[in-house]
Amino acid sequence: YHGHPFDYVEKNGSGSYMDRILEIPAVKLVPDTGWITHARRDIIKFLEQNAARIPIIHLKDTKENDSITELGNGIVDLPLVFDFAAAAGVEWLNYEQDDNFRISSLDSCRISYEYMKNLSLKKNKEFLS
C-alpha cells in the first residue's frame, strides 16, 4: 500500500486510515518519504515500526511549506532513510518526481539522481544500478 498524507490523518478519534491498514498483517507497504513528512509523522519511526513490511521506499523530498523539491533540498532526513533501507534489507529505493514544476522535470531528476548517487557512495551502499 502506498499512502498519501490523508491516510495519516486521525478520523473522529478512531485512528487514521493507515492505522486500519496496518491492522492487516499481510499488507506490504511502499512508504513515501515526502507524504509521511507532509503528514507530520516521523519518517524513521514509521519505517522502523513497519520494517518487515517494506520492500520499496518512495523517495521524495519536501520543503517546510510542503512543496516538492529535489532530493537533498528539503527537510526529509534522506541519509537516515538510506541507513534504514540498508539495515532493513529494503529491495528498492524509488525516486518519485511528483509535481515539482520550479525547473524542468529533467533538470530536477538530474539533481535528485546526483544526490542519490553521492549519498550512496558516501555511505558505501549500492542502491543505484
Side-chain angles (χ1 to χ4, degrees):
Y1 184 79
H2 175 76
H4 293 85
F6 57 82
D7 289 313
Y8 299 90
V9 175
E10 295 289 323
K11 301 288 183 187
N12 302 323
S14 62
S16 66
Y17 292 140
M18 184 57 71
D19 293 331
R20 290 186 188 141
I21 289 165
L22 292 173
E23 291 174 1
I24 306 167
V27 173
K28 296 290 185 189
L29 301 172
V30 182
D32 184 305
T33 60
W35 291 144
I36 293 171
T37 301
H38 178 88
R40 306 298 185 254
R41 296 286 183 106
D42 182 326
I43 182 66
I44 299 304
K45 182 177 177 183
F46 182 85
L47 294 174
E48 288 173 346
Q49 289 173 338
N50 297 288
R53 306 171 89 162
I54 301 173
I56 301 168
I57 296 173
H58 276 194
L59 298 175
K60 187 184 300 162
D61 210 347
T62 65
K63 298 220 178 235
E64 287 284 341
N65 67 359
D66 296 327
S67 64
I68 306 300
T69 190
E70 293 77 30
L71 298 181
N73 289 341
I75 61 171
V76 177
D77 194 339
L78 293 167
L80 282 181
V81 172
F82 271 56
D83 288 343
F84 165 82
V90 172
E91 297 174 44
W92 293 90
L93 294 178
N94 185 1
Y95 165 60
E96 187 172 15
Q97 173 65 33
D98 220 288
D99 64 353
N100 176 12
F101 299 115
R102 293 179 307 100
I103 59 176
S104 78
S105 293
L106 187 55
D107 287 339
S108 187
C109 185
R110 278 190 195 112
I111 291 167
S112 292
Y113 176 80
E114 287 301 317
Y115 177 81
M116 287 189 300
K117 183 171 80 174
N118 292 334
L119 188 57
S120 291
L121 292 172
K122 180 178 174 184
K123 296 197 165 278
N124 294 318
K125 294 178 174 78
E126 295 199 25
F127 287 116
L128 303 176
S129 56

